[in-house]
Amino acid sequence: SPAREPPPIYASFTPSGTLDVPGTLLLIAKRFEKLERWSVTHVRALEERMGDVERWLVDKENQCSKEGGSSNNDKPSPTSELAAIQGDVTELQSRMSELGREMARLATSPATLSSNSAIRNSPVMSTTPPPMESSIVS
């Protein structure tokens, strides 16, 4: 017999061997929720770190102003450095959101899902995909 590839990680199958679309979508949705929680906690950690850096920069600026005035005007100000960090975090958040939308679009694209007629008639699908050959063996 030819070598069989393992099924996709998040695919769920019925006892008869057909793709369980609701179960598969539920598994994918759970994975997206897990990824969202992960990204939210990491963004929060970055925000906390950004706050630590802001406090450190303010303390350093205060220390420099006590020691000798503002003799080093050619260094970037802590405020501009903080603004750059905040801009980077905002860009990271938007990229993560875009990545999530793209993953959801790919996961629910008609080419990715089975060509079962019950699926095509499902209210979840906004358009009917063209008929496809199924690679699922019953």
Side-chain angles (χ1 to χ4, degrees):
S1 79
R4 297 180 80 182
E5 292 184 27
I9 294 173
Y10 298 109
S12 176
F13 297 93
T14 63
S16 65
T18 60
L19 181 66
D20 177 18
V21 175
T24 299
L25 289 176
L26 185 60
L27 286 171
I28 292 170
K30 286 179 181 179
R31 180 63 180 159
F32 283 143
E33 288 174 357
K34 185 177 179 180
L35 288 170
E36 181 184 17
R37 283 191 304 272
W38 179 90
S39 59
V40 165
T41 57
H42 281 73
V43 167
R44 285 184 183 149
L46 285 171
E47 288 172 342
E48 288 176 17
R49 178 67 177 135
M50 190 172 62
D52 293 343
V53 169
E54 179 182 13
R55 284 188 292 279
W56 179 81
L57 289 171
V58 169
D59 291 345
K60 185 175 180 180
E61 182 180 309
N62 290 340
Q63 183 183 14
C64 288
S65 65
K66 287 180 184 176
E67 288 178 359
S70 56
S71 61
N72 42 0
N73 289 333
D74 49 342
K75 285 188 175 180
S77 71
T79 306
S80 66
E81 290 178 13
L82 180 61
I85 293 171
Q86 287 174 332
D88 290 344
V89 169
T90 301
E91 181 181 351
L92 177 64
Q93 287 173 326
S94 67
R95 286 185 181 195
M96 290 298 294
S97 296
E98 181 64 28
L99 177 64
R101 284 190 294 273
E102 183 69 14
M103 290 174 66
R105 186 187 64 76
L106 289 173
T108 59
S109 70
T112 305
L113 300 174
S114 173
S115 63
N116 185 340
S117 62
I119 296 165
R120 278 187 264 132
N121 297 331
S122 168
V124 174
M125 300 294 290
S126 60
T127 61
T128 304
M132 300 170 40
E133 288 187 28
S134 177
S135 62
I136 299 173
V137 179
S138 299

